[in-house]
Amino acid sequence: MSILADLLMTLFERRYATDRNGDDRPLPELFHELLTSRGEVSGVQLARKILDRYASLDDAGRREVFEYLLVEMDIDVPAVQSALKAYAAAPGRGTYRQLGRAVEPGRQELARRLNQVPGATGELVRMREDLLRFSRENPMLGVVDLDFRHLFSSWFNRGFLVLRQISWSSPANILEKIIAYESVHAIQSWDDLRSRLQPADRRCFAFFHPVMPDEPLIFVEVALTRGVPDSIQDVLAESREIIEPTQANTAVFYSISNCQSGLAGVSFGNSLIKQVVADLSRELPGLATFVTLSPIPGLVKWLTDNDLVDDIHDSGRLAALAAGYLLHAKSDDGRPLDPVARFHLNNGAIVHRVHARGDLSEKGMSQSGGAMVNYLYDLGRLEDNHESYANLRQVVASREARDLAKSVRTIIEHSEEHAANG
Amino acid sequence: MSILADLLMTLFERRYATDRNGDDRPLPELFHELLTSRGEVSGVQLARKILDRYASLDDAGRREVFEYLLVEMDIDVPAVQSALKAYAAAPGRGTYRQLGRAVEPGRQELARRLNQVPGATGELVRMREDLLRFSRENPMLGVVDLDFRHLFSSWFNRGFLVLRQISWSSPANILEKIIAYESVHAIQSWDDLRSRLQPADRRCFAFFHPVMPDEPLIFVEVALTRGVPDSIQDVLAESREIIEPTQANTAVFYSISNCQSGLAGVSFGNSLIKQVVADLSRELPGLATFVTLSPIPGLVKWLTDNDLVDDIHDSGRLAALAAGYLLHAKSDDGRPLDPVARFHLNNGAIVHRVHARGDLSEKGMSQSGGAMVNYLYDLGRLEDNHESYANLRQVVASREARDLAKSVRTIIEHSEEHAANG
Amino acid sequence: MSILADLLMTLFERRYATDRNGDDRPLPELFHELLTSRGEVSGVQLARKILDRYASLDDAGRREVFEYLLVEMDIDVPAVQSALKAYAAAPGRGTYRQLGRAVEPGRQELARRLNQVPGATGELVRMREDLLRFSRENPMLGVVDLDFRHLFSSWFNRGFLVLRQISWSSPANILEKIIAYESVHAIQSWDDLRSRLQPADRRCFAFFHPVMPDEPLIFVEVALTRGVPDSIQDVLAESREIIEPTQANTAVFYSISNCQSGLAGVSFGNSLIKQVVADLSRELPGLATFVTLSPIPGLVKWLTDNDLVDDIHDSGRLAALAAGYLLHAKSDDGRPLDPVARFHLNNGAIVHRVHARGDLSEKGMSQSGGAMVNYLYDLGRLEDNHESYANLRQVVASREARDLAKSVRTIIEHSEEHAANG
Amino acid sequence: MSILADLLMTLFERRYATDRNGDDRPLPELFHELLTSRGEVSGVQLARKILDRYASLDDAGRREVFEYLLVEMDIDVPAVQSALKAYAAAPGRGTYRQLGRAVEPGRQELARRLNQVPGATGELVRMREDLLRFSRENPMLGVVDLDFRHLFSSWFNRGFLVLRQISWSSPANILEKIIAYESVHAIQSWDDLRSRLQPADRRCFAFFHPVMPDEPLIFVEVALTRGVPDSIQDVLAESREIIEPTQANTAVFYSISNCQSGLAGVSFGNSLIKQVVADLSRELPGLATFVTLSPIPGLVKWLTDNDLVDDIHDSGRLAALAAGYLLHAKSDDGRPLDPVARFHLNNGAIVHRVHARGDLSEKGMSQSGGAMVNYLYDLGRLEDNHESYANLRQVVASREARDLAKSVRTIIEHSEEHAANG
């Protein structure tokens, strides 16, 4: 690999030969200084300089940074081999420390040292956004990404996250991010936002990391209702009657959005829902049912693939097909085709009810012909459900959903055979 | 190792066969469940149970836990070898992920999952206190300790720490920890504490981690003075004249204490001092000099070892001997003998002044015959000083200190020869 | 007055004879119970009930409440006379206490006891909004209003107010009030609001009362600029260049809005501006000039009244006329005609510069033909300027403004004579 | 009075003729300037100067200040008379305003203007401490005091106070005030304080005013217990078993202390207890009984006065005598002799139980022979109890207390007759 590395280095050095602060050393040199003993003392200033330099780069320059990290700051395989041998021969603190140093690529320690700077954590998350983008073109960069993800899993450990309620009294700079990041049912305006936060029967919760206090990581919007709602139109209707929270018997999670694409693969959703269920149960003992009202994003595509898309306009039929899709349509690994289903089932929720006319928005119609689904979160059953799903690849569902799905099972099987033969 | 492991396991299971919550499975079984997919869902409860169980163990039981982690949750050397081979043969995301999993012992992921529980971080720090204690008897446990230290270095990264001023308006439950943890000049009472916090010319700063808001990690006590003080008696004198902060030209760091022995080896002191220097400079532009007033804990022992202890009662002579000790007495690795000197020199400070009658307390007299030293922190010179120290093993000192040391150099050399021959 | 009182009472009792809580006693009865010793014990509940009852009344009912307070809870003149006589005869604690009780109408103590309820202060402020409205039709209610105003002057004393910066990180429920209350240059949207709060060279400050933490009392919007701006268009231009606060030499108070009409006559504006000037001076020592950019709301009316309105389209001429108006147009009491001028001159500011094309908005054109004025706040001169204004009725102005005004003086005098003769 | 006034003025001016800031005008002149229109503009600086000048005076000087306020800033009786006549003749806003101005002595507005300064409220409270002290020697100063008290009743209105829990996490500068102000059962040390705040079954609550955030106004210490305790020794015993708050059925208010002698006569105790009862009821639904454990400070004196003090060593007899004293010993106005009894009975509490060996401390023995009493707070009965007490002078008591008291009634009556005849 060294020829490539040399080549990269040359390009790299040439392009970024100067610096506004008069420090015109190339980034790789700064990386290495930060990793030395000297870097321990001058750390914060140096790390700040590296982060600024990175921020000033265009995409080509940033790609080169990651390529440098990939090639030049990888583990040294022979060194690991010999450290491993030494440890196997004489296990002990000394040999284990050597092994630990050998198996961790320099780029991990580099990221930790960059993180000394106040505010750096958010910048590193945004660096990984770039990295994930570049990895799509250059899959080898996925190697570097694993190191970032490893670090982030440690830094964004559940124990470090803070659950905060988002309300109409929250700071505007946070609320504008809620508007921007809502990815399920778009928030049209500040008035729309207010209507989701201010009424007594609405709640919103988000996870934050203490060093990124203005950046929600993930948030969930909740409606407190009487009974399980059939459609998002009912939930969001301006004219709906607002109820007292103590009168509600159901909490509906009608939108869950991840905010930081740079934290992909570091999962918070499961923890967030369970924490919110636990907190709401304590605050409002009248709540007996915790469900989502979720989109079925893959339905229309699957119906089309299976020549069933014409049935979409018949509500009864659509609900049955949607149930069938959720319960029986699987990918090669035996898991459900639908990504939202995979998320909630993996959390231990079950398929509860399917509604044909749940989301009549343009997006809803085009994705699922308007169908939506409630997943039910029963705290006492989550573990067992998850077990069935994770170990037996079983989609746990209510009797109602199973019956609905059954009615179209033969059609589905037929169309799948047809597709398989086609 | 497996016979030992089996043996341990048997003992372990027998001793802790029951549980108050009716879950009488042995701890190792709980560890493994927490690491499974099921553990992802039931994580928080299970982690809580494990932490409670650990807390209920006596020392023998806790030692067995760490021995279990050492033996049964170590890396699998052949698995690492084969993963390494696969990565070398075909570097890529898949092989790198396999390698990453193989090289990280299960106990690291176990600790991360335990850390899901609110408040767990502090409990894990206290677990490491136990571990460090056990490691003194069983050095093999140092292997497990390296994994804890690795995690803690990531979790307690400088970027996550918060600097807070400790004042007489701070919560009493934090102040009582300042009293407990002060390890240089003991705080005798709440009145004594007040006299170090409340006067306008006194400051105290500590680092905290956001998830341990009641637990200072390290703190420094500062006196704002006119001129560099000669002795701790002057600094702490009840009858001293209190000055306006704006009249001070010198900030004296007269006590630095680490609070968490479970964070040994995760260093904060360097960052703390530099941060406080930077903050005080901004707040009080009249401050021109930043020094410590530090003990010389190894002086009397060294004087005794070198047959020089009789000179201790002659102040002039003692100051010279102390300077000589700090500048010239080295351990085999070429670094200064004195541990406090090593800390400040490594931070880039220099030996500034030596005072024979700096600390007349019982402790001060017995450690150093009463001698103290000022280390000078000159922000603009820290990097270069550190460099000289780290790379050239050079003890940077003021001319005054060097001259003092010079006057006793021959005596020191003579006595060292004598000792070497003795 | 007792016949009227009886009549009122009858109407009053009939109309509000029932209560949702089953307590159907008429409001006056509740008032009197609250004022008894029993009311001291049951105070909070009873006060809450009265406030709720008031809130449920329509305008006719509320007017009757104030008429009741006017007639039935007034001072008892003969009782005051006799208490006064007793005090004059034998001044002492006992007679003074009796006098104090006699001279204070029951409605004042009633308001104080209503204020026991958490949140009542804001409700009482809103009650006075009603009262001020009713007073326009029934000037006798101005008597009751004096009691409210007296209380509010005590409760909203400067020493109890808190200055807070309003920023884009402020809670949305406060920001929406800024949008609603801005009365000088309307805020069109949340984006418009953001453009006045978020840029580094913009500030906004408001006074709050601790028991009304979500309700700004008065706020001022500030632009940090280089030089004194000529027009509000320049200040609010979307395309303007944002500068670093440290580069600014001028702070421009371009909008000051009172938020609570129920606090009319309890003045905060003077304190707010002086406090903000003091705070900004401390934070940004580069600021040398503190000016307003203010409307001249009475200009067009005055020009029309004086047959000068045709000159409005000649910019040079308009500036001169505006200066003349501000410096020389007086009401019968000898104070300037222009209400905004009265406010700033009374604060000790001076007329600094006049701009013909300062506000080209529809409102600006219709009020003042587009003219605006800078009032200059020079902290060191405020007292003397105020003195000249308050005692000598002198409008202090810059030479530039005086020269401008001089050029149209004869025209003004002529037109005033003309008007006087007309 | 004018000769006296002149005399005072002369003394006054001579003594305080100079000022550190070069402003050597006598205080009265500064008072008057603060009350002018000029004072509105220069208010904060001038008020600060006056407060500093006052603080620098010795007792003699301060006494003169209040004498000046008494004599020179009193109401003008003839002016009030004429304003009153005008108002009676033509009631309206104008005449009412004139009357309002006439009846309020200048010293009230002076105090309001002094209060503009941040932090002035606390200084004014301390000024009244002086005033109350001086009033003991010169009762005429009670006139000035009534004005202070009138203002403070408005400023420290219940609606402005904030209830805060005092815990071991409270700031040390507040906790040291709890130690200083505890006036019932002295707190011996910080350890003693911790034992009253930190255990799960102990609570402490205080009222604060927002502008005096470091100064508790009044606080109450609460023990959560099973059953009503017999003695303070049990409540404070170091060796007592700490219970879970949820296991408690009784909340015991065992100490209530006013902190600010400058707020004498502005009562908070009633509100504090009721608020704490309401808050604890909500937090801990298991609490069924709310009682005090109160001293009987006047018992021994009364027993002595009635020749009954020899019975003090017989516990059974002492309890009966204590009950008799509380229920039947009255002052001339028909209210109970005991001041603590008056406070709680006026709040609507009842005499619940009497304990002979309730407080064996030196203070307890000397005041009451060791007897203590529980007053019971039954929220639903407070109003009626208060009514009986306030209107009928009836001491409401439990059957147990009444029976105890009955057993000694004849003795009491006999001894009282004896005393009357003696």
Side-chain angles (χ1 to χ4, degrees), chain D residues 285-300:
Chain D
L287 293 177
T289 306
F290 295 86
V291 293
T292 71
L293 180 62
S294 300
I296 312 175
L299 181 58
V300 163

Side-chain angles (χ1 to χ4, degrees), chain C residues 182-194:
Chain C
E182 158 66 78
S183 58
V184 186
H185 305 291
I187 299 174
Q188 307 297 338
S189 65
W190 285 83
D191 284 345
D192 188 6
L193 176 68
R194 192 201 286 110

Side-chain angles (χ1 to χ4, degrees), chain A residues 321-389:
Chain A
L321 287 167
Y325 164 70
L326 293 168
L327 270 67
H328 303 305
K330 304 284 173 65
S331 63
D332 294 343
D333 63 0
R335 296 188 307 159
L337 266 184
D338 194 80
V340 175
R342 286 202 298 270
F343 172 73
H344 291 296
L345 293 168
N346 192 50
N347 290 345
I350 69 170
V351 176
H352 183 58
R353 278 194 209 157
V354 179
H355 310 287
R357 302 186 60 73
D359 180 1
L360 304 181
S361 71
E362 197 174 335
K363 185 178 167 194
M365 292 306 291
S366 73
Q367 279 188 346
S368 66
M372 294 194 89
V373 54
N374 304 122
Y375 297 99
L376 178 78
Y377 278 77
D378 177 348
L379 277 193
R381 310 258 329 130
L382 293 185
E383 281 184 51
D384 288 346
N385 294 336
H386 167 80
E387 200 84 333
S388 306
Y389 174 76

Side-chain angles (χ1 to χ4, degrees), chain D residues 65-171:
Chain D
V65 168
F66 291 113
E67 284 161 351
Y68 182 85
L69 294 180
L70 172 67
V71 176
E72 297 298 325
M73 300 186 87
D74 197 17
I75 52 168
D76 174 348
V77 172
V80 179
Q81 270 166 335
S82 93
L84 191 61
K85 210 171 288 178
Y87 178 66
R93 187 175 163 88
T95 50
Y96 192 65
R97 183 198 283 120
Q98 289 307 323
L99 178 60
R101 287 181 183 164
V103 298
E104 191 184 88
R107 56 195 173 234
Q108 276 203 29
E109 180 64 13
L110 181 71
R112 271 195 293 269
R113 293 201 177 186
L114 288 173
N115 195 40
Q116 291 172 75
V117 176
T121 312
E123 296 181 60
L124 289 163
V125 169
R126 283 188 292 279
M127 279 177 73
R128 187 169 172 239
E129 281 184 34
D130 293 339
L131 173 56
L132 286 165
R133 203 155 35 86
F134 302 147
S135 301
R136 270 175 242 130
E137 294 159 26
N138 178 1
M140 272 303 285
L141 288 176
V143 167
V144 180
D145 180 54
L146 283 171
D147 287 313
F148 271 82
R149 182 171 158 177
H150 181 77
L151 274 178
F152 289 178
S153 296
S154 204
W155 292 350
F156 290 88
N157 191 295
R158 169 68 190 91
F160 297 140
L161 305 187
V162 179
L163 184 75
R164 283 159 67 187
Q165 187 170 351
I166 302 293
S167 75
W168 189 239
S169 307
S170 296

